[in-house]
Structures are given as C-alpha cells and as structure tokens.
Amino acid sequence: MSASGADGRGRPGGRGRQGGEAGHGYHLPVMADEIVEQLVIDKQGAYLDATLGGGGHSSRILAALGDGGSVLGLDRDSEAVDRNRKNFAAEPRMRVERSEFGRVAEFCAPESLAGALFDLGVSSRQLDAKERGFSFASGTALDMRMGGEGVSAADLLAKWTERELAMVLFRNADINEGRKLAHNIKADMEAGAPMDSDLIRRAVEKLPGMRDENRNGMLARAFQAIRMEVNDEIGEVGNGLRAAVAALRTGGRLCVLSYHSVEDRKVKETIAEFERDCICAPNLPVCVCGSNNRKLRKVLRKPGLPTAEEMARNPRARSAKLRVAEKV
Ligand SMILES: C[S@@+](CC[C@H](N)C(=O)[O-])C[C@H]1O[C@@H](n2cnc3c(N)ncnc32)[C@H](O)[C@@H]1O
C-alpha cells in the first residue's frame, strides 16, 4: 500500500465508505493490482478474503465492486479482526469474522463465491510486534500463535525431542542442517537458557562453516519452520483451499499468494489435485471414477511475481508467488 490511502490510490476503502485506514502502517498488501485484476470477475459477486490481516486487499476488492458485491473477511488473529471490524464499520458490503480459514465451509455455501483470496503466512504487524512472539528481536519470548490459542512455540520446543525438532526444521523450511541446529537449541535449553529468540539465534551462530551473510536467512527459516508447526499452517492451507474450491461457483477464481517454497508446494499440489479428471487410486488397473472430476483450471500457467518496483517499495513482497485458478 502506498502512503496515500488504504487502496493505494488515496481512497481509504476505495469509495470513501470505510472509516479508518485499513492496512495502513500494519501491512502493505502484496500484488494488489494483479489480484484485483485476476479475482474480480463479477462486480456484484460475493468474495472471500480468507486472510484479512490489515484489510488492504479487502479494501482494494471492495473498491472494484459495485453496490451488490460483498466481501467476507476471515482472520484467526483477534487483533486483526478487531481492527478490521472498526475500520470497515461503515462499509455494509463487508463482513468480518474471526476464524481459521480451514473452516470456510461454515461461512460460505457451496457454489456461492465469485472469488476467494488466500494471502498466506503472517502479517508485518504480527512479525514486528515483539509481544506477539514472532520477532527475531533479542529477548522476544517464543510464542508465535497467530490466534493466541493452542500451544506456544516455547511449549512445543520443550516437548519435542531433538530428532522431532530436526524433522520440523527440515519438513517446514527445507533446512538440511536441521540436526545440528536442533542439537544446539536443545543443548542450550538443557543448560537453562531462557525460551526466547536468542535461543534460536545462538544455535544458528554456532553452525559451523556458514557464511555470515547466510545466517540471517537461516534464522528466518528456522523461525518460519517452528511458526508453521505452532499454527499447523500446511494443514490449514490444504483444508482452506479445498473448502474454498467447494464454495466457488463455476467460473469463480481462486488467488493464492505464498511466500516460501514449502507453502507454495502445498498450494501447487492442492490445485493439481483439483485439475485431475480421474481421481482413482494409481494402483487401479482401470478408471472407476468416471473421469469427470476436474474442478479447477489454471489461469496463470506460471505463478505471477511482483514487479521490481513493488519489491523495492515493499521488501516483504520479494518472495511472493501468485497462483490463480478458475472453477470449471
Ligand atoms: C500475509 S497476512 C494478510 C495480509 C492481508 N492480505 C492485507 O492486505 O493486509 C496473513 C494473515 O492471515 C492470517 N492467517 C494466517 N493463517 C490463517 C488461517 N489458517 N486462518 C485464518 N487466518 C489466517 C494471519 O493472522 C494474518 O493476519
């Protein structure tokens, strides 16, 4: 988002209906122009923003809709929900609910949506606010719960064995040095180190043979791997996308923004699942399903990427990949 307003064009809420400044200073929406162009196929349609965050994408979608259009915004984070309820209070076309997006079916009837957007991962606000426990800043208590419920990162680290932690680092962030890293973390914990961000930083610093410029990237991936487990992010992506496909009407669009390879792999695999006509088990000698099960077709053959200008303006856009598919 630009500094000029919630929709990046000096029009908070797009049509002056939304009080407040959705997203401003909280999170810059990534690839917002491209998303509106791909997602909004019907100006009077119903849309899902499965990951409201600062509400920047929702603002842009609303700005493109007519009076008969609407957006349902979900977020599992009650801070984001409260903020959006306040900011969109004067916008009758917007409904805000606190929920995991894996529960989309509870809010959207089958074949009801013209489009669904998933902007995966965490918001800038979540990453930056030290009290949320996602930040690398020294002395940040390891929490990382997006919804504030369930088991914190500190509790999971205490519960996992060294081997389990190594698996988490490998599975969620492709960290090949996972065993060494897990060993360093667990050894420090056993020596009585506090359960804060410095535990992970010290473990990364102790990895042998790593160039200094690569250590920050490794630290970010280690945090990401633990955060993904705390929030069951990969399980949620599968459940959320499946539910959204059921809720899309024919011709409805699914737009998904992912920010790292493990997340993108899950998105790609889930879309591919719905592109298949035949869904028989691979070991069946003949097709018994009728070979008429295809539910999605790719709109973009390759994932869309942010422009160089956007990456310069918003460094958090740098790793974004946009996948777009249409219900058939
Ligand atoms: C990258 S931010 C979205 C930013 C948003 N598009 C904007 O324009 O400000 C991701 C948001 O999704 C939420 N989130 C992540 N996983 C979720 C899930 N499984 N269910 C609901 N919300 C989720 C996070 O709490 C966070 O607020």
Side-chain angles (χ1 to χ4, degrees), residues 27 29 49-57 74-77 80 99-101 119-123 126 146 236 259:
H27 184 90
D49 179 351
T51 49
L52 252 178
H57 282 122
L74 303 181
D75 206 294
R76 72 198 307 184
D77 180 344
S99 174
E100 285 75 31
F101 55 58
D119 179 12
L120 301 174
V122 276
S123 66
Q126 287 166 327
M146 286 185 204
E236 273 288 309
Y259 296 88

PDB file of all heavy atoms in Angstrom, residues 27 29 49-57 74-77 80 99-101 119-123 126 146 236 259, ligand 1:
ATOM      1  N   HIS A  27       0.206  -3.507   7.466  1.00  0.00           N
ATOM      2  CA  HIS A  27       0.689  -4.473   6.487  1.00  0.00           C
ATOM      3  C   HIS A  27       0.431  -3.921   5.094  1.00  0.00           C
ATOM      4  O   HIS A  27      -0.683  -3.477   4.806  1.00  0.00           O
ATOM      5  CB  HIS A  27      -0.055  -5.801   6.658  1.00  0.00           C
ATOM      6  CG  HIS A  27       0.443  -6.883   5.754  1.00  0.00           C
ATOM      7  ND1 HIS A  27       1.449  -7.743   6.113  1.00  0.00           N
ATOM      8  CD2 HIS A  27       0.095  -7.226   4.490  1.00  0.00           C
ATOM      9  CE1 HIS A  27       1.693  -8.578   5.109  1.00  0.00           C
ATOM     10  NE2 HIS A  27       0.886  -8.274   4.112  1.00  0.00           N
ATOM     11  N   PRO A  29      -0.466  -4.543   1.414  1.00  0.00           N
ATOM     12  CA  PRO A  29      -0.956  -5.686   0.625  1.00  0.00           C
ATOM     13  C   PRO A  29      -0.045  -5.926  -0.590  1.00  0.00           C
ATOM     14  O   PRO A  29       0.362  -4.975  -1.249  1.00  0.00           O
ATOM     15  CB  PRO A  29      -2.354  -5.254   0.187  1.00  0.00           C
ATOM     16  CG  PRO A  29      -2.375  -3.789   0.304  1.00  0.00           C
ATOM     17  CD  PRO A  29      -1.385  -3.397   1.366  1.00  0.00           C
ATOM     18  N   ASP A  49     -12.091 -13.037   1.480  1.00  0.00           N
ATOM     19  CA  ASP A  49     -10.692 -12.725   1.790  1.00  0.00           C
ATOM     20  C   ASP A  49     -10.376 -13.587   3.011  1.00  0.00           C
ATOM     21  O   ASP A  49     -10.772 -13.258   4.139  1.00  0.00           O
ATOM     22  CB  ASP A  49     -10.537 -11.233   2.094  1.00  0.00           C
ATOM     23  CG  ASP A  49      -9.082 -10.868   2.450  1.00  0.00           C
ATOM     24  OD1 ASP A  49      -8.271 -11.799   2.614  1.00  0.00           O
ATOM     25  OD2 ASP A  49      -8.778  -9.671   2.571  1.00  0.00           O
ATOM     26  N   ALA A  50      -9.716 -14.714   2.776  1.00  0.00           N
ATOM     27  CA  ALA A  50      -9.508 -15.702   3.842  1.00  0.00           C
ATOM     28  C   ALA A  50      -8.474 -15.251   4.863  1.00  0.00           C
ATOM     29  O   ALA A  50      -8.371 -15.838   5.942  1.00  0.00           O
ATOM     30  CB  ALA A  50      -9.094 -17.036   3.224  1.00  0.00           C
ATOM     31  N   THR A  51      -7.702 -14.221   4.528  1.00  0.00           N
ATOM     32  CA  THR A  51      -6.592 -13.778   5.381  1.00  0.00           C
ATOM     33  C   THR A  51      -6.594 -12.248   5.435  1.00  0.00           C
ATOM     34  O   THR A  51      -5.783 -11.593   4.779  1.00  0.00           O
ATOM     35  CB  THR A  51      -5.250 -14.275   4.792  1.00  0.00           C
ATOM     36  OG1 THR A  51      -5.229 -13.945   3.387  1.00  0.00           O
ATOM     37  CG2 THR A  51      -5.068 -15.763   4.945  1.00  0.00           C
ATOM     38  N   LEU A  52      -7.496 -11.713   6.238  1.00  0.00           N
ATOM     39  CA  LEU A  52      -7.733 -10.266   6.253  1.00  0.00           C
ATOM     40  C   LEU A  52      -6.503  -9.431   6.600  1.00  0.00           C
ATOM     41  O   LEU A  52      -6.260  -8.402   5.984  1.00  0.00           O
ATOM     42  CB  LEU A  52      -8.797  -9.974   7.308  1.00  0.00           C
ATOM     43  CG  LEU A  52     -10.170  -9.575   6.857  1.00  0.00           C
ATOM     44  CD1 LEU A  52     -11.051  -9.384   8.083  1.00  0.00           C
ATOM     45  CD2 LEU A  52     -10.135  -8.316   6.029  1.00  0.00           C
ATOM     46  N   GLY A  53      -5.757  -9.831   7.621  1.00  0.00           N
ATOM     47  CA  GLY A  53      -4.583  -9.066   8.052  1.00  0.00           C
ATOM     48  C   GLY A  53      -4.954  -7.621   8.319  1.00  0.00           C
ATOM     49  O   GLY A  53      -5.854  -7.315   9.103  1.00  0.00           O
ATOM     50  N   GLY A  54      -4.288  -6.689   7.615  1.00  0.00           N
ATOM     51  CA  GLY A  54      -4.594  -5.267   7.779  1.00  0.00           C
ATOM     52  C   GLY A  54      -5.775  -4.813   6.945  1.00  0.00           C
ATOM     53  O   GLY A  54      -6.127  -3.639   6.972  1.00  0.00           O
ATOM     54  N   GLY A  55      -6.363  -5.697   6.153  1.00  0.00           N
ATOM     55  CA  GLY A  55      -7.555  -5.352   5.364  1.00  0.00           C
ATOM     56  C   GLY A  55      -7.235  -4.647   4.051  1.00  0.00           C
ATOM     57  O   GLY A  55      -8.137  -4.187   3.355  1.00  0.00           O
ATOM     58  N   GLY A  56      -5.955  -4.578   3.683  1.00  0.00           N
ATOM     59  CA  GLY A  56      -5.564  -3.862   2.467  1.00  0.00           C
ATOM     60  C   GLY A  56      -6.135  -4.493   1.201  1.00  0.00           C
ATOM     61  O   GLY A  56      -6.664  -3.796   0.332  1.00  0.00           O
ATOM     62  N   HIS A  57      -6.045  -5.832   1.088  1.00  0.00           N
ATOM     63  CA  HIS A  57      -6.605  -6.474  -0.106  1.00  0.00           C
ATOM     64  C   HIS A  57      -8.126  -6.320  -0.138  1.00  0.00           C
ATOM     65  O   HIS A  57      -8.704  -6.058  -1.194  1.00  0.00           O
ATOM     66  CB  HIS A  57      -6.236  -7.965  -0.149  1.00  0.00           C
ATOM     67  CG  HIS A  57      -4.830  -8.222  -0.603  1.00  0.00           C
ATOM     68  ND1 HIS A  57      -3.921  -8.897   0.170  1.00  0.00           N
ATOM     69  CD2 HIS A  57      -4.187  -7.873  -1.743  1.00  0.00           C
ATOM     70  CE1 HIS A  57      -2.767  -8.958  -0.487  1.00  0.00           C
ATOM     71  NE2 HIS A  57      -2.910  -8.350  -1.649  1.00  0.00           N
ATOM     72  N   LEU A  74     -11.946 -13.188   6.746  1.00  0.00           N
ATOM     73  CA  LEU A  74     -11.646 -14.049   7.905  1.00  0.00           C
ATOM     74  C   LEU A  74     -10.219 -13.795   8.380  1.00  0.00           C
ATOM     75  O   LEU A  74      -9.331 -13.502   7.575  1.00  0.00           O
ATOM     76  CB  LEU A  74     -11.748 -15.527   7.536  1.00  0.00           C
ATOM     77  CG  LEU A  74     -13.050 -16.065   6.953  1.00  0.00           C
ATOM     78  CD1 LEU A  74     -12.911 -17.568   6.690  1.00  0.00           C
ATOM     79  CD2 LEU A  74     -14.224 -15.800   7.875  1.00  0.00           C
ATOM     80  N   ASP A  75     -10.003 -13.926   9.648  1.00  0.00           N
ATOM     81  CA  ASP A  75      -8.646 -13.989  10.188  1.00  0.00           C
ATOM     82  C   ASP A  75      -8.724 -14.728  11.519  1.00  0.00           C
ATOM     83  O   ASP A  75      -9.720 -14.616  12.239  1.00  0.00           O
ATOM     84  CB  ASP A  75      -8.040 -12.595  10.389  1.00  0.00           C
ATOM     85  CG  ASP A  75      -6.501 -12.627  10.328  1.00  0.00           C
ATOM     86  OD1 ASP A  75      -5.890 -13.244  11.225  1.00  0.00           O
ATOM     87  OD2 ASP A  75      -5.922 -12.082   9.387  1.00  0.00           O
ATOM     88  N   ARG A  76      -7.689 -15.501  11.810  1.00  0.00           N
ATOM     89  CA  ARG A  76      -7.690 -16.238  13.082  1.00  0.00           C
ATOM     90  C   ARG A  76      -7.171 -15.356  14.212  1.00  0.00           C
ATOM     91  O   ARG A  76      -7.241 -15.732  15.383  1.00  0.00           O
ATOM     92  CB  ARG A  76      -6.865 -17.519  12.942  1.00  0.00           C
ATOM     93  CG  ARG A  76      -5.386 -17.287  12.862  1.00  0.00           C
ATOM     94  CD  ARG A  76      -4.594 -18.460  12.299  1.00  0.00           C
ATOM     95  NE  ARG A  76      -4.863 -19.697  12.980  1.00  0.00           N
ATOM     96  CZ  ARG A  76      -4.237 -20.851  12.724  1.00  0.00           C
ATOM     97  NH1 ARG A  76      -3.288 -20.895  11.797  1.00  0.00           N
ATOM     98  NH2 ARG A  76      -4.542 -21.944  13.370  1.00  0.00           N
ATOM     99  N   ASP A  77      -6.634 -14.196  13.853  1.00  0.00           N
ATOM    100  CA  ASP A  77      -5.990 -13.306  14.818  1.00  0.00           C
ATOM    101  C   ASP A  77      -7.010 -12.277  15.309  1.00  0.00           C
ATOM    102  O   ASP A  77      -7.483 -11.444  14.528  1.00  0.00           O
ATOM    103  CB  ASP A  77      -4.812 -12.627  14.096  1.00  0.00           C
ATOM    104  CG  ASP A  77      -4.051 -11.670  14.993  1.00  0.00           C
ATOM    105  OD1 ASP A  77      -4.577 -11.291  16.057  1.00  0.00           O
ATOM    106  OD2 ASP A  77      -2.929 -11.301  14.616  1.00  0.00           O
ATOM    107  N   ALA A  80      -6.320  -8.590  14.534  1.00  0.00           N
ATOM    108  CA  ALA A  80      -6.631  -8.205  13.141  1.00  0.00           C
ATOM    109  C   ALA A  80      -8.141  -8.063  12.961  1.00  0.00           C
ATOM    110  O   ALA A  80      -8.622  -7.141  12.303  1.00  0.00           O
ATOM    111  CB  ALA A  80      -6.071  -9.247  12.172  1.00  0.00           C
ATOM    112  N   SER A  99     -11.953 -16.495  12.389  1.00  0.00           N
ATOM    113  CA  SER A  99     -11.977 -17.941  12.155  1.00  0.00           C
ATOM    114  C   SER A  99     -10.704 -18.376  11.450  1.00  0.00           C
ATOM    115  O   SER A  99     -10.094 -17.602  10.713  1.00  0.00           O
ATOM    116  CB  SER A  99     -13.175 -18.306  11.266  1.00  0.00           C
ATOM    117  OG  SER A  99     -13.132 -19.672  10.912  1.00  0.00           O
ATOM    118  N   GLU A 100     -10.338 -19.634  11.627  1.00  0.00           N
ATOM    119  CA  GLU A 100      -9.316 -20.250  10.784  1.00  0.00           C
ATOM    120  C   GLU A 100      -9.955 -20.412   9.405  1.00  0.00           C
ATOM    121  O   GLU A 100     -11.156 -20.722   9.311  1.00  0.00           O
ATOM    122  CB  GLU A 100      -8.929 -21.647  11.289  1.00  0.00           C
ATOM    123  CG  GLU A 100      -8.074 -21.662  12.507  1.00  0.00           C
ATOM    124  CD  GLU A 100      -8.851 -21.330  13.763  1.00  0.00           C
ATOM    125  OE1 GLU A 100     -10.056 -21.657  13.810  1.00  0.00           O
ATOM    126  OE2 GLU A 100      -8.269 -20.718  14.670  1.00  0.00           O
ATOM    127  N   PHE A 101      -9.154 -20.266   8.344  1.00  0.00           N
ATOM    128  CA  PHE A 101      -9.764 -20.408   7.020  1.00  0.00           C
ATOM    129  C   PHE A 101     -10.060 -21.867   6.675  1.00  0.00           C
ATOM    130  O   PHE A 101     -10.786 -22.149   5.734  1.00  0.00           O
ATOM    131  CB  PHE A 101      -8.989 -19.671   5.930  1.00  0.00           C
ATOM    132  CG  PHE A 101      -7.519 -19.996   5.779  1.00  0.00           C
ATOM    133  CD1 PHE A 101      -7.089 -21.282   5.525  1.00  0.00           C
ATOM    134  CD2 PHE A 101      -6.565 -18.971   5.847  1.00  0.00           C
ATOM    135  CE1 PHE A 101      -5.746 -21.572   5.356  1.00  0.00           C
ATOM    136  CE2 PHE A 101      -5.214 -19.244   5.681  1.00  0.00           C
ATOM    137  CZ  PHE A 101      -4.809 -20.557   5.436  1.00  0.00           C
ATOM    138  N   ASP A 119      -3.886 -15.016   1.235  1.00  0.00           N
ATOM    139  CA  ASP A 119      -2.577 -14.346   1.279  1.00  0.00           C
ATOM    140  C   ASP A 119      -1.868 -14.954   2.491  1.00  0.00           C
ATOM    141  O   ASP A 119      -2.060 -14.514   3.626  1.00  0.00           O
ATOM    142  CB  ASP A 119      -2.823 -12.832   1.433  1.00  0.00           C
ATOM    143  CG  ASP A 119      -1.529 -12.038   1.523  1.00  0.00           C
ATOM    144  OD1 ASP A 119      -0.463 -12.595   1.239  1.00  0.00           O
ATOM    145  OD2 ASP A 119      -1.613 -10.846   1.884  1.00  0.00           O
ATOM    146  N   LEU A 120      -1.087 -16.001   2.224  1.00  0.00           N
ATOM    147  CA  LEU A 120      -0.649 -16.886   3.306  1.00  0.00           C
ATOM    148  C   LEU A 120       0.437 -16.280   4.199  1.00  0.00           C
ATOM    149  O   LEU A 120       1.084 -15.300   3.840  1.00  0.00           O
ATOM    150  CB  LEU A 120      -0.154 -18.204   2.700  1.00  0.00           C
ATOM    151  CG  LEU A 120      -1.223 -18.946   1.877  1.00  0.00           C
ATOM    152  CD1 LEU A 120      -0.620 -20.163   1.179  1.00  0.00           C
ATOM    153  CD2 LEU A 120      -2.406 -19.368   2.757  1.00  0.00           C
ATOM    154  N   GLY A 121       0.620 -16.930   5.340  1.00  0.00           N
ATOM    155  CA  GLY A 121       1.703 -16.535   6.243  1.00  0.00           C
ATOM    156  C   GLY A 121       1.259 -15.514   7.269  1.00  0.00           C
ATOM    157  O   GLY A 121       0.090 -15.448   7.629  1.00  0.00           O
ATOM    158  N   VAL A 122       2.221 -14.723   7.719  1.00  0.00           N
ATOM    159  CA  VAL A 122       1.947 -13.756   8.785  1.00  0.00           C
ATOM    160  C   VAL A 122       1.959 -12.333   8.233  1.00  0.00           C
ATOM    161  O   VAL A 122       2.552 -12.072   7.195  1.00  0.00           O
ATOM    162  CB  VAL A 122       2.984 -13.858   9.928  1.00  0.00           C
ATOM    163  CG1 VAL A 122       2.635 -14.930  10.906  1.00  0.00           C
ATOM    164  CG2 VAL A 122       4.386 -14.051   9.395  1.00  0.00           C
ATOM    165  N   SER A 123       1.307 -11.425   8.967  1.00  0.00           N
ATOM    166  CA  SER A 123       1.309 -10.017   8.554  1.00  0.00           C
ATOM    167  C   SER A 123       2.559  -9.337   9.110  1.00  0.00           C
ATOM    168  O   SER A 123       3.204  -9.838  10.042  1.00  0.00           O
ATOM    169  CB  SER A 123       0.056  -9.322   9.079  1.00  0.00           C
ATOM    170  OG  SER A 123       0.091  -9.263  10.489  1.00  0.00           O
ATOM    171  N   GLN A 126       2.186  -8.790  12.794  1.00  0.00           N
ATOM    172  CA  GLN A 126       2.492  -9.949  13.639  1.00  0.00           C
ATOM    173  C   GLN A 126       4.006 -10.116  13.779  1.00  0.00           C
ATOM    174  O   GLN A 126       4.508 -10.404  14.862  1.00  0.00           O
ATOM    175  CB  GLN A 126       1.857 -11.215  13.046  1.00  0.00           C
ATOM    176  CG  GLN A 126       0.346 -11.249  13.222  1.00  0.00           C
ATOM    177  CD  GLN A 126      -0.322 -12.304  12.361  1.00  0.00           C
ATOM    178  OE1 GLN A 126       0.127 -12.603  11.252  1.00  0.00           O
ATOM    179  NE2 GLN A 126      -1.419 -12.860  12.851  1.00  0.00           N
ATOM    180  N   MET A 146      -0.750 -17.401  16.078  1.00  0.00           N
ATOM    181  CA  MET A 146      -1.485 -16.358  15.346  1.00  0.00           C
ATOM    182  C   MET A 146      -2.820 -16.073  16.016  1.00  0.00           C
ATOM    183  O   MET A 146      -3.270 -14.943  16.068  1.00  0.00           O
ATOM    184  CB  MET A 146      -1.774 -16.810  13.914  1.00  0.00           C
ATOM    185  CG  MET A 146      -0.605 -16.804  13.008  1.00  0.00           C
ATOM    186  SD  MET A 146      -1.215 -17.212  11.359  1.00  0.00           S
ATOM    187  CE  MET A 146       0.252 -17.860  10.632  1.00  0.00           C
ATOM    188  N   GLU A 236      -3.711 -26.265   7.443  1.00  0.00           N
ATOM    189  CA  GLU A 236      -4.727 -25.225   7.194  1.00  0.00           C
ATOM    190  C   GLU A 236      -4.825 -24.884   5.702  1.00  0.00           C
ATOM    191  O   GLU A 236      -5.914 -24.680   5.181  1.00  0.00           O
ATOM    192  CB  GLU A 236      -4.376 -23.957   7.978  1.00  0.00           C
ATOM    193  CG  GLU A 236      -4.916 -23.930   9.389  1.00  0.00           C
ATOM    194  CD  GLU A 236      -6.432 -23.736   9.423  1.00  0.00           C
ATOM    195  OE1 GLU A 236      -6.933 -22.821   8.786  1.00  0.00           O
ATOM    196  OE2 GLU A 236      -7.105 -24.530  10.096  1.00  0.00           O
ATOM    197  N   TYR A 259       4.720 -17.406   0.135  1.00  0.00           N
ATOM    198  CA  TYR A 259       5.963 -16.664   0.345  1.00  0.00           C
ATOM    199  C   TYR A 259       7.200 -17.540   0.535  1.00  0.00           C
ATOM    200  O   TYR A 259       8.275 -17.024   0.769  1.00  0.00           O
ATOM    201  CB  TYR A 259       5.806 -15.716   1.542  1.00  0.00           C
ATOM    202  CG  TYR A 259       4.766 -14.659   1.271  1.00  0.00           C
ATOM    203  CD1 TYR A 259       3.428 -14.881   1.554  1.00  0.00           C
ATOM    204  CD2 TYR A 259       5.124 -13.459   0.672  1.00  0.00           C
ATOM    205  CE1 TYR A 259       2.460 -13.928   1.271  1.00  0.00           C
ATOM    206  CE2 TYR A 259       4.169 -12.496   0.390  1.00  0.00           C
ATOM    207  CZ  TYR A 259       2.845 -12.736   0.694  1.00  0.00           C
ATOM    208  OH  TYR A 259       1.896 -11.800   0.396  1.00  0.00           O
TER     209      TYR A 259
HETATM  210  C1  LIG B   1       0.004 -12.014   4.975  1.00  0.00           C
HETATM  211  S1  LIG B   1      -1.221 -11.572   6.136  1.00  0.00           S
HETATM  212  C2  LIG B   1      -2.548 -10.997   5.141  1.00  0.00           C
HETATM  213  C3  LIG B   1      -2.447  -9.558   4.794  1.00  0.00           C
HETATM  214  C4  LIG B   1      -3.652  -9.000   4.084  1.00  0.00           C
HETATM  215  N1  LIG B   1      -3.878  -9.615   2.814  1.00  0.00           N
HETATM  216  C5  LIG B   1      -3.580  -7.499   3.946  1.00  0.00           C
HETATM  217  O1  LIG B   1      -3.833  -6.990   2.851  1.00  0.00           O
HETATM  218  O2  LIG B   1      -3.276  -6.840   4.933  1.00  0.00           O
HETATM  219  C6  LIG B   1      -1.842 -13.119   6.642  1.00  0.00           C
HETATM  220  C7  LIG B   1      -2.977 -13.032   7.640  1.00  0.00           C
HETATM  221  O3  LIG B   1      -3.627 -14.284   7.599  1.00  0.00           O
HETATM  222  C8  LIG B   1      -3.923 -14.707   8.892  1.00  0.00           C
HETATM  223  N2  LIG B   1      -3.931 -16.171   8.856  1.00  0.00           N
HETATM  224  C9  LIG B   1      -2.889 -16.991   8.645  1.00  0.00           C
HETATM  225  N3  LIG B   1      -3.285 -18.264   8.659  1.00  0.00           N
HETATM  226  C10 LIG B   1      -4.630 -18.243   8.854  1.00  0.00           C
HETATM  227  C11 LIG B   1      -5.621 -19.248   8.946  1.00  0.00           C
HETATM  228  N4  LIG B   1      -5.314 -20.544   8.852  1.00  0.00           N
HETATM  229  N5  LIG B   1      -6.896 -18.867   9.122  1.00  0.00           N
HETATM  230  C12 LIG B   1      -7.224 -17.545   9.216  1.00  0.00           C
HETATM  231  N6  LIG B   1      -6.322 -16.558   9.157  1.00  0.00           N
HETATM  232  C13 LIG B   1      -5.040 -16.892   8.974  1.00  0.00           C
HETATM  233  C14 LIG B   1      -2.848 -14.124   9.759  1.00  0.00           C
HETATM  234  O4  LIG B   1      -3.317 -13.978  11.081  1.00  0.00           O
HETATM  235  C15 LIG B   1      -2.562 -12.798   9.079  1.00  0.00           C
HETATM  236  O5  LIG B   1      -3.320 -11.766   9.654  1.00  0.00           O
END
